[in-house]
């Protein structure tokens, strides 16, 4: 949780210096530790159904989860899960009127009620991390433009719904289908602007654990999180987890829509900030990541004593294999906590037997079962996507 | 403004439920989002007014104000992208003043 510290700024409201004592309004600010700033973010205004959140933007809403939340457990409570909308979000949905159209390369286009979607197949629960593709973008060096997230645009929840493939079966996918595209109720404010629609390859769409979900941690999806239905693609970045799902479209070719063909793309091979022309690929699967949650950057620890560090880790698109605490020329394996499934956060713990002088720039490095491991240096890209460099902090023995 | 969520009725039936019973009951949902005060720091005109008139209709000022320090050319490029990609009804004549204002605001920002 590098550099996430709470500061308070007292704003004095009222005129002049003399007369009556002025009321003091305190506004809480969080310092996200973004190199070069601006780094302070407000914790207000409050949003309906949300607890304390870092308000990156009021409209359309961008709310970041304070790193403290990840100290408390692997599941983010619904009122602390991050929120991200590309376009203005609808603020009311009539359940009886909502329909999910399933069309495109299908045998019989259908328009399903919510009850018909829910009855399309077996009810399935998946514990999975929802993480914005731009999570940690604000920490990029050199800095890049876009939403300046710290590392809190992520959260793990239990999602309940039916399999996407069972919903597709209501219409019948035709031969030659290649991708499945999703659209929600959120539409652009301006004529001709690209709608936020996203597609996934057919083999992903047919997976056992790819859902049309209506519940998050056992509660109906809050509107801010996509009521009444959202797509859940465990292991993939949340850009594909389309909210307020209203259209499912089966494609027979590549998807040339803006948010797939032009945006949310990564360099196909490593680049430097000087590179201008390079091939790109869509961001899809999440890489492994790990975070220290027990100590903040700069925390004081007891010299000569044993020190226990704790945190969370994820394997990304495959189960977590191991987590190591790494320092300058040394590393220590961490003990993993309970396994909530391959796509969930998992807690880790490690004890440094005796604190010595050198706890500068320590970090935790996660690896998953496919051998993907967090890199020592940032795989810089101009959109700040898929950050998974080892996050480091410095502890100060005293 | 502190807005209240309208509670939702939600029912997940136990495993014992028969096949024909719904697994979930959907209720209507609505929320009231907080007001967006649209506060912009002082800065050169006509840029500040151009930002108010052209940018904040679609998104809060924090979208611009939280960006890392970038060049004037970059700000012009961002404004052009809003016009060309996101079809923002921005007068091309406003691009220069918008960039002037953003460069000024970023130069006057405190280090954090």
């Amino acid at each position: 949780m590098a550099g996430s510290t709470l500061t308070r700024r007292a704003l004095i409201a009222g005129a002049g210096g003399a007369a009556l004592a002025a009321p003091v309004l305190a506004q809480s600010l969080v310092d996200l530790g973004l190199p070069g700033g601006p780094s302070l973010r407000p914790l207000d205004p409050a949003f309906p159904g949300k607890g304390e959140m870092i308000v990156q933007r009021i409209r359309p809403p961008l709310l970041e989860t304070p790193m403290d939340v990840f100290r408390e457990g692997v599941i983010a409570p619904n009122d602390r899960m991050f929120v991200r909308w590309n376009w203005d979000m609808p603020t009311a949905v009539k359940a009886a009127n909502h329909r999910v159209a399933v069309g495109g390369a299908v045998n019989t286009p259908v328009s399903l009620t919510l009850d018909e979607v829910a009855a399309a197949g077996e009810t399935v629960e998946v514990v999975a991390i929802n993480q914005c593709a731009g999570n940690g973008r604000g920490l990029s060096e050199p800095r890049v433009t876009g939403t300046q997230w710290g590392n809190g645009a992520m959260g793990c929840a239990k999602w309940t719904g039916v399999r996407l493939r069972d919903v597709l079966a209501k219409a019948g996918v035709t031969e030659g289908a290649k991708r499945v595209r999703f659209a929600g109720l959120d539409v652009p404010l301006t004529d001709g602007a690209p709608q936020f629609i996203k597609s996934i390859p057919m083999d992903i769409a047919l997976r056992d654990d790819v859902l049309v979900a209506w519940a998050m941690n056992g509660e109906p999806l809050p509107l801010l999180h996509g009521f009444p239905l959202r797509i859940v693609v465990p292991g993939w970045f949340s850009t594909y987890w389309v909210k307020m799902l209203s259209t499912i479209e089966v494609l027979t070719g590549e998807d040339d829509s803006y948010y797939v063909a032009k945006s949310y793309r990564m360099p196909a091979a490593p680049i430097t900030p000087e590179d201008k022309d390079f091939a790109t690929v869509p961001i899809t699967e999440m890489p492994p990541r790990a975070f220290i949650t027990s100590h903040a950057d700069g925390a004081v620890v007891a010299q000569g004593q044993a020190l226990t560090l704790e945190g969370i880790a994820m394997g990304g698109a495959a189960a977590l294999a191991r987590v190591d605490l790494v320092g300058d020329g040394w590393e220590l394996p961490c003990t993993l906590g309970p396994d909530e499934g391959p796509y969930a956060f998992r807690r880790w713990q490690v004890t440094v037997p005796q604190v010595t002088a050198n706890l500068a720039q320590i970090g935790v490095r996660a690896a998953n079962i496919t051998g993907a491991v967090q890199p020592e240096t940032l795989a810089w890209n101009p959109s700040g996507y898929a950050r998974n460099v080892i996050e480091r902090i410095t502890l100060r023995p005293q | 403004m502190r807005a209240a969520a309208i509670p939702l009725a939600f029912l997940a039936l136990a495993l014992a439920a028969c096949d024909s019973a719904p697994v979930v009951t959907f209720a209507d949902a609505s929320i009231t989002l907080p007001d967006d005060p649209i506060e912009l720091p002082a800065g050169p005109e006509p840029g500040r007014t151009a930002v108010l008139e052209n940018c904040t209709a679609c998104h809060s000022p924090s979208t611009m104000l939280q960006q890392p320090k970038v060049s004037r050319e970059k700000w012009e490029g961002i404004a052009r992208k809003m016009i060309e990609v996101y079809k923002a009804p921005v007068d091309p004549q406003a691009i220069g003043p918008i960039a002037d204002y953003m460069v000024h605001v970023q130069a006057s920002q405190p280090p954090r």
Side-chain angles (χ1 to χ4, degrees), chain A residues 93-105:
Chain A
V93 174
K94 291 265 184 217
N97 297 344
H98 190 80
R99 295 290 182 275
V100 177
V102 186

Side-chain angles (χ1 to χ4, degrees), chain A residues 233-248:
Chain A
V233 188
W236 281 42
F237 282 108
S238 60
T239 179
Y240 297 95
W241 299 31
V242 170
K243 299 186 288 293
M244 292 190 178
L245 179 71
S246 57
T247 306
I248 299 173

Side-chain angles (χ1 to χ4, degrees), chain A residues 185-255:
Chain A
L185 296 178
D186 46 327
V187 293
L189 288 169
T190 46
D191 284 344
Q195 189 179 1
F196 187 74
I197 56 179
K198 297 290 296 192
S199 65
I200 58 177
M202 187 57 71
D203 60 329
I204 301 298
L206 298 180
R207 261 169 53 173
D208 247 3
D209 54 1
V210 169
L211 306 184
V212 176
W214 57 75
M216 175 175 165
N217 294 327
E219 300 286 330
L221 281 169
L223 273 169
L224 283 165
H225 294 285
F227 179 88
L229 299 170
R230 82 178 297 176
I231 296 294
V232 169
V233 188
W236 281 42
F237 282 108
S238 60
T239 179
Y240 297 95
W241 299 31
V242 170
K243 299 186 288 293
M244 292 190 178
L245 179 71
S246 57
T247 306
I248 299 173
E249 182 187 7
V250 179
L251 307 178
T252 52
E254 291 306 309
D255 186 353

Side-chain angles (χ1 to χ4, degrees), chain A residues 296-322:
Chain A
D297 189 28
V300 171
V301 295
Q303 178 82 33
Q305 304 293 306
L307 170 67
T308 296
L309 298 174
E310 293 180 343
I312 54 168
M314 57 186 276
L320 185 68
R322 61 180 295 143

Side-chain angles (χ1 to χ4, degrees), chain A residues 31 39 56 59 91 93 95 190, chain B residues 28-29 31 56-57 60 62 86 112:
Chain A
D31 186 346
S39 193
Q56 292 275 10
R59 190 176 52 92
T91 55
V93 174
T190 46
Chain B
D28 296 346
I31 55 172
T56 59
S60 303
S62 64
Y86 299 112
R112 283 205 306 189

Side-chain angles (χ1 to χ4, degrees), chain A residues 4 17 55 60 67 71 78 81 118 126 128 136 182 187 216 242 254 263 304 317 323 338 352 359 398:
Chain A
S4 178
V55 180
M67 290 305 280
R71 193 183 296 164
N78 289 0
M81 175 68 87
V126 175
F182 315 109
V187 293
M216 175 175 165
V242 170
E254 291 306 309
S263 182
V323 176
V352 179
L359 285 178
Q398 282 182 14

Side-chain angles (χ1 to χ4, degrees), chain B residues 54-65:
Chain B
N54 290 289
C55 309
T56 59
C58 288
H59 55 72
S60 303
S62 64
T63 309
M64 298 87 76
L65 299 175

Side-chain angles (χ1 to χ4, degrees), chain A residues 7 31 36-41 45-49 55-60 87 89 91-96 114-115 118 123 143-146 148 189-194 214-215 218-220 223-224 227-228 258-259, chain B residues 1-5 8-10 12 22-38 55-60 62-63 65-70 74 78 81 85-89 106 109-112:
Chain A
T7 60
D31 186 346
S39 193
L40 299 178
R41 299 285 185 274
F47 275 68
V55 180
Q56 292 275 10
R57 185 173 72 188
I58 297 174
R59 190 176 52 92
W87 293 103
M89 59 172 287
T91 55
V93 174
K94 291 265 184 217
L114 291 174
D115 288 344
T123 300
R143 296 285 298 276
V144 296
T145 54
Q148 300 300 310
L189 288 169
T190 46
D191 284 344
W214 57 75
E219 300 286 330
L223 273 169
L224 283 165
F227 179 88
Y258 177 75
Y259 289 100
Chain B
M1 143 184 182
R2 203 166 271 265
L8 299 159
F10 181 70
V23 293
V24 55
T25 301
F26 294 90
D28 296 346
S30 70
I31 55 172
T32 304
L33 293 173
D35 289 334
D36 182 4
I38 308 187
C55 309
T56 59
C58 288
H59 55 72
S60 303
S62 64
T63 309
L65 299 175
Q66 292 173 354
Q67 294 305 317
K69 220 164 270 183
V70 295
K74 179 73 178 176
I78 290 171
K81 182 181 179 185
V85 177
Y86 299 112
K87 310 300 177 192
Q106 292 204 310
Q109 263 164 356
R112 283 205 306 189

